[in-house]
Amino acid sequence: MDISKLGEFGLIRRLTDDIKPVNVSTVYGVGDDCAVMHYPDKEVLLTTDMLMEGVHFDLTYIDLFHLGYKSAMVNISDIFAMNGTPRQMTVSMALSKRFTVEDMEMFYKGIRAACGKWNVDIVGGDTTSSYTGLAISITCVGEADKADIVYRNGARETDLICVSGDLGAAYMGLQLLEREKSVYYQQVEEAKKKGDRNMLGQLAQFQPDFSGKEYLLQRQLKTEARGDIIHRLREANIRPTAMMDVSDGLSSELLHICSQSHVGCRIFEKNLPIDYQTAVMAEEFNMNVTTCALNGGEDYELLFTVPIGDYDKIEMLDDVRLIGHITKESLGRVLVTRDDNEFDLKAQGWNPLS
Amino acid sequence: MDISKLGEFGLIRRLTDDIKPVNVSTVYGVGDDCAVMHYPDKEVLLTTDMLMEGVHFDLTYIDLFHLGYKSAMVNISDIFAMNGTPRQMTVSMALSKRFTVEDMEMFYKGIRAACGKWNVDIVGGDTTSSYTGLAISITCVGEADKADIVYRNGARETDLICVSGDLGAAYMGLQLLEREKSVYYQQVEEAKKKGDRNMLGQLAQFQPDFSGKEYLLQRQLKTEARGDIIHRLREANIRPTAMMDVSDGLSSELLHICSQSHVGCRIFEKNLPIDYQTAVMAEEFNMNVTTCALNGGEDYELLFTVPIGDYDKIEMLDDVRLIGHITKESLGRVLVTRDDNEFDLKAQGWNPLS
């Protein structure tokens, strides 16, 4: 259905009418000039992210459900990265004329699946039009006890550096998708040049074979925020001294923690958690897998530091890897390679403005 | 300076480094995964707005300072429209390559001027790139005592309908700017066709003469949120029963209040506040000035209802006009014209998705 049939308010009603808030902190949701929330006993956390078509996502290989899911998850991830609990979300989008009501329903379905997973209430947003493409802006509100909030600036000398899950897979997934896309369009171009309508018909039905690479695609297309790690850290009675989520790449994030905490770091190549599929794919692409793990973005794993006294507790945690330790600032930010060489860590991660 | 020289984090530092929070509710601002706020005794208000180049603004006639100012003010206006006090703001923007560091400094200067006026702290945001044009998304957080919050759904039969300032001027300002722009480009086209380089040189220097129409331009380009009205209502001990800000047009907003409050309304054409310049301009454009006042958007005035017992107090307030009253829902939403005809109010205001 054409969106102009519903107009702005009709579309908003269609997308949000059956939303029922689940959090006591949500006083009033969609439908007024503002959402209203109540946080008498907690600190309020606020984060926002903007995603632009052509820059952050490519609708030739991510569908609108997964785009919605991912857009919500990357914001939820920022709340977890402060050791908080996500509670409310606003969803703004600007759409060009090529999108239908059904498209937006699919996008919202993805948003709501992510919010449902972590009990986040959709409390507002803005729905408007765009000249070209789709622009998404999401804001997430969360809560935390003051004493529980973990900033980037709390890492201290001798702290252990930990990371959840594995690294580089989301980036390899993106490389894979981009390769398939470019191969596909090459074939289409060739078929057009030859006027081969038969071939064009086949290409229209074409689905690339991603078998054996499912994990890479999942990491790129179905982003998950690591709230499970936050819960398990709490259960294990571990309070990180510094934490952030890995969105731009491990190196870049670790340098943020070092510069904001005024410390150095020493991480070990051999300890970096890398999935088997990531390693295989890197080889196929003739890329250095360590570089992918250090600089590939969008893993949305948690990078955190804990006091050295928590060593035994951390060792007991599934899916958390100890990758190094914090040092004096004067010792620099160092990567120790498998063959015991030392390199300065550089942020070569994703920079949208470079 | 080219933005790629600074990169994302360099640009953010440049724009936000000297920001000093002024509100006690701001615990931590720019620089971590989330901003942190503290609201032990108040309800938290949250609003967000997205502005897209080519849809919401045209950089041929609004400069980046005023665009920043307006982007911030329209969000601040939403907090006032709940009878709240604005406190924090996040600023997200996606920019195409044609923007320089100096451009973004100018945009931020506008944002900061608006925030400075109402003591709002910039606590975060997202800065990224866009394929085409400029996209802006702003989120504003405010506070209010629970008992003070004014929703759209509180209007009751016999309540008086009031509006601040005057209506239709921002819309006439837009018409004026668009006319001048189209005349200008026609002249350029003609000069190009004739190869008249002399004429082209003159046109490059051309400044349209807006004398006598300054107020219309100011209303379109230098949006102000009516926090002054909120303060004066408090001083006068008036608590509106329903309120919203006029962004899409008076008719559209009044219909929101009626449908959410389950009431009807009766407003009088002769009472609509219209500035002299708006009236003159409407005549020049051969437009019905009442239609402009009812359906022209972007005035950002406050539309509110008060109990009939507040009649005397409202009469005493400068810059607030009584335009009608609330009726039973079954009596409909009615405009009474100067010649005592009655018409159904229709929302013909701005709809970005129509």
Side-chain angles (χ1 to χ4, degrees):
Chain A
M1 188 199 294
D2 202 68
I3 287 176
S4 63
K5 270 201 175 167
L6 293 178
E8 179 184 1
F9 302 114
L11 178 63
I12 292 172
R13 255 195 310 277
R14 177 104 161 212
L15 297 176
T16 63
D17 236 10
D18 62 333
I19 290 177
K20 300 268 176 297
V22 296
N23 292 300
V24 288
S25 51
T26 306
V27 179
Y28 195 95
V30 176
D32 216 299
D33 296 289
C34 295
V36 182
M37 301 167 300
H38 189 51
Y39 280 104
D41 307 313
K42 302 278 183 177
E43 306 285 284
V44 187
L45 306 173
L46 180 70
T47 182
T48 188
D49 257 310
M50 204 163 188
L51 293 99
M52 304 295 291
E53 185 173 352
V55 177
H56 299 86
F57 57 89
D58 182 335
L59 288 170
T60 52
Y61 47 70
I62 190 165
D63 62 280
L64 284 159
F65 174 88
H66 285 96
L67 180 62
Y69 192 85
K70 184 170 179 172
S71 307
M73 275 297 177
V74 303
N75 279 277
I76 289 172
S77 178
D78 276 321
I79 302 286
F80 287 135
M82 300 292 283
N83 201 24
T85 305
R87 294 293 188 201
Q88 287 89 17
M89 184 176 285
T90 62
V91 179
S92 296
M93 48 198 188
L95 355 149
S96 63
K97 286 195 202 308
R98 77 174 199 273
F99 295 98
T100 64
V101 172
E102 290 74 18
D103 287 338
M104 287 305 105
E105 285 179 327
M106 196 48 78
F107 176 74
Y108 243 74
K109 214 170 164 177
I111 297 260
R112 291 177 71 166
C115 286
K117 179 158 188 172
W118 295 109
N119 295 320
V120 174
D121 295 326
I122 297 170
V123 296
D126 195 7
T127 306
T128 190
S129 55
S130 127
Y131 218 62
T132 52
L134 176 61
I136 302 163
S137 176
I138 293 193
T139 296
C140 192
V141 173
E143 62 172 50
D145 283 326
K146 188 176 178 176
D148 288 342
I149 298 179
V150 178
Y151 293 93
R152 297 176 180 180
N153 62 11
R156 294 294 169 260
E157 210 187 321
T158 77
D159 280 358
L160 307 173
I161 303 170
C162 309
V163 69
S164 65
D166 59 78
L167 299 171
Y171 177 74
M172 290 317 311
L174 181 62
Q175 299 309 309
L176 178 61
L177 288 162
E178 294 203 325
R179 182 183 68 181
E180 293 302 317
K181 180 182 163 184
S182 101
V183 168
Y184 177 80
Y185 280 111
Q186 263 172 32
Q187 290 177 333
V188 170
E189 277 312 302
E190 274 169 33
K192 275 188 186 161
K193 232 184 265 170
K194 291 181 193 158
D196 186 341
R197 294 184 61 179
N198 199 10
M199 180 73 173
L200 278 171
Q202 278 175 28
L203 281 167
Q205 304 297 321
F206 176 73
Q207 286 293 337
D209 176 16
F210 288 127
S211 61
K213 291 155 188 165
E214 295 85 354
Y215 181 66
L216 305 178
L217 294 186
Q218 181 199 322
R219 294 287 286 174
Q220 172 57 225
L221 300 177
K222 188 155 181 294
T223 300
E224 295 289 352
R226 298 306 306 263
D228 57 325
I229 298 289
I230 295 298
H231 287 299
R232 276 156 48 208
L233 287 171
R234 275 178 212 163
E235 277 168 17
N237 215 4
I238 301 169
R239 185 188 171 282
T241 49
M243 182 157 57
M244 59 188 297
D245 64 338
V246 181
S247 55
D248 296 339
L250 181 74
S251 289
S252 167
E253 317 305 13
L254 195 51
L255 296 185
H256 281 301
I257 286 182
C258 286
S259 72
Q260 294 194 31
S261 298
H262 304 292
V263 294
C265 70
R266 200 172 168 83
I267 63 169
F268 297 87
E269 183 182 18
K270 69 177 181 341
N271 292 1
L272 295 177
I274 294 166
D275 185 80
Y276 174 75
Q277 289 188 14
T278 309
V280 169
M281 200 69 225
E283 192 145 318
E284 203 178 314
F285 276 115
N286 219 353
M287 291 168 111
N288 180 322
V289 70
T290 300
T291 307
C292 297
L294 288 173
N295 299 314
E298 300 197 280
D299 289 314
Y300 295 98
E301 294 297 340
L302 290 170
L303 169 68
F304 56 97
T305 57
V306 298
I308 193 165
D310 285 342
Y311 180 84
D312 291 341
K313 292 191 211 163
I314 285 289
E315 282 285 290
M316 301 281 293
L317 280 187
D318 271 351
D319 212 20
V320 168
R321 187 77 69 91
L322 193 62
I323 60 169
H325 56 86
I326 296 291
T327 62
K328 256 201 256 298
E329 189 163 27
S330 58
L331 294 179
R333 298 100 172 238
V334 176
L335 170 74
V336 182
T337 59
R338 282 174 204 280
D339 53 6
D340 266 333
N341 277 313
E342 298 189 2
F343 289 97
D344 278 354
L345 270 181
K346 292 256 186 291
Q348 295 166 342
W350 195 66
N351 185 335
L353 299 177
S354 71
Chain B
M1 190 199 294
D2 200 70
I3 286 176
S4 63
K5 269 199 179 172
L6 293 178
E8 179 184 1
F9 301 115
L11 178 63
I12 292 171
R13 255 195 310 277
R14 178 102 161 215
L15 296 175
T16 63
D17 235 12
D18 62 332
I19 289 178
K20 300 266 178 296
V22 297
N23 292 300
V24 288
S25 51
T26 306
V27 179
Y28 194 96
V30 176
D32 217 299
D33 297 289
C34 294
V36 182
M37 301 168 300
H38 189 51
Y39 280 105
D41 307 313
K42 301 277 184 179
E43 305 285 284
V44 187
L45 305 173
L46 180 71
T47 182
T48 188
D49 257 311
M50 204 162 187
L51 294 100
M52 304 294 292
E53 184 171 353
V55 177
H56 300 86
F57 57 89
D58 182 335
L59 289 170
T60 53
Y61 48 69
I62 189 165
D63 62 280
L64 284 159
F65 174 89
H66 285 95
L67 179 62
Y69 192 85
K70 184 170 180 172
S71 306
M73 275 298 178
V74 301
N75 278 278
I76 289 170
S77 178
D78 276 320
I79 302 284
F80 288 135
M82 300 291 285
N83 201 23
T85 306
R87 295 293 188 201
Q88 287 89 18
M89 183 175 287
T90 61
V91 180
S92 295
M93 48 196 189
L95 355 148
S96 64
K97 286 194 200 309
R98 77 175 199 273
F99 294 98
T100 64
V101 171
E102 290 74 18
D103 287 338
M104 286 307 104
E105 285 180 327
M106 195 49 79
F107 176 75
Y108 243 74
K109 212 170 166 175
I111 297 260
R112 291 177 70 164
C115 286
K117 180 158 187 174
W118 295 108
N119 295 321
V120 174
D121 294 326
I122 297 171
V123 295
D126 194 9
T127 306
T128 190
S129 56
S130 126
Y131 218 62
T132 51
L134 176 63
I136 303 163
S137 175
I138 293 192
T139 296
C140 193
V141 173
E143 63 172 49
D145 283 326
K146 187 176 178 175
D148 288 343
I149 297 180
V150 178
Y151 293 93
R152 297 176 179 179
N153 62 11
R156 297 289 169 262
E157 211 187 320
T158 76
D159 279 358
L160 306 172
I161 303 169
C162 309
V163 68
S164 65
D166 59 77
L167 299 171
Y171 177 74
M172 291 316 312
L174 181 63
Q175 300 309 309
L176 178 60
L177 287 163
E178 293 203 327
R179 181 182 70 181
E180 293 303 319
K181 181 183 163 184
S182 99
V183 168
Y184 177 80
Y185 281 111
Q186 262 172 33
Q187 290 178 332
V188 170
E189 277 311 302
E190 275 169 33
K192 275 186 186 163
K193 232 184 264 171
K194 289 182 193 156
D196 186 341
R197 295 183 59 177
N198 199 9
M199 181 70 172
L200 278 170
Q202 277 175 29
L203 281 167
Q205 304 295 321
F206 177 72
Q207 286 292 338
D209 177 15
F210 288 126
S211 60
K213 292 155 188 164
E214 296 84 355
Y215 181 67
L216 304 178
L217 294 186
Q218 181 199 322
R219 294 287 285 174
Q220 171 56 225
L221 301 176
K222 191 156 179 295
T223 301
E224 295 290 351
R226 299 306 305 263
D228 58 324
I229 298 289
I230 294 298
H231 287 300
R232 275 156 48 209
L233 287 170
R234 276 179 213 164
E235 276 170 18
N237 216 2
I238 300 169
R239 185 188 170 282
T241 50
M243 180 156 60
M244 57 188 298
D245 65 338
V246 182
S247 54
D248 297 338
L250 181 74
S251 290
S252 167
E253 318 303 16
L254 195 51
L255 295 185
H256 280 300
I257 286 180
C258 286
S259 71
Q260 294 194 32
S261 300
H262 304 290
V263 295
C265 70
R266 200 174 169 82
I267 63 169
F268 298 88
E269 183 184 17
K270 69 178 181 340
N271 292 2
L272 295 176
I274 292 166
D275 186 81
Y276 174 76
Q277 288 188 15
T278 309
V280 169
M281 200 69 225
E283 190 143 322
E284 203 178 314
F285 276 114
N286 219 352
M287 291 167 113
N288 180 321
V289 70
T290 300
T291 306
C292 296
L294 287 174
N295 300 314
E298 300 197 280
D299 288 315
Y300 295 96
E301 294 296 342
L302 290 170
L303 169 68
F304 56 96
T305 57
V306 299
I308 193 166
D310 284 343
Y311 179 85
D312 291 342
K313 291 190 211 164
I314 285 289
E315 282 285 290
M316 300 283 290
L317 280 187
D318 272 353
D319 211 19
V320 168
R321 188 77 70 89
L322 193 62
I323 61 169
H325 55 87
I326 296 292
T327 62
K328 256 202 259 298
E329 190 164 26
S330 59
L331 295 178
R333 297 100 173 238
V334 175
L335 171 74
V336 182
T337 60
R338 283 174 203 280
D339 51 7
D340 266 333
N341 279 314
E342 297 189 5
F343 290 96
D344 278 352
L345 269 182
K346 293 256 184 292
Q348 297 166 340
W350 195 66
N351 185 337
L353 300 177
S354 72

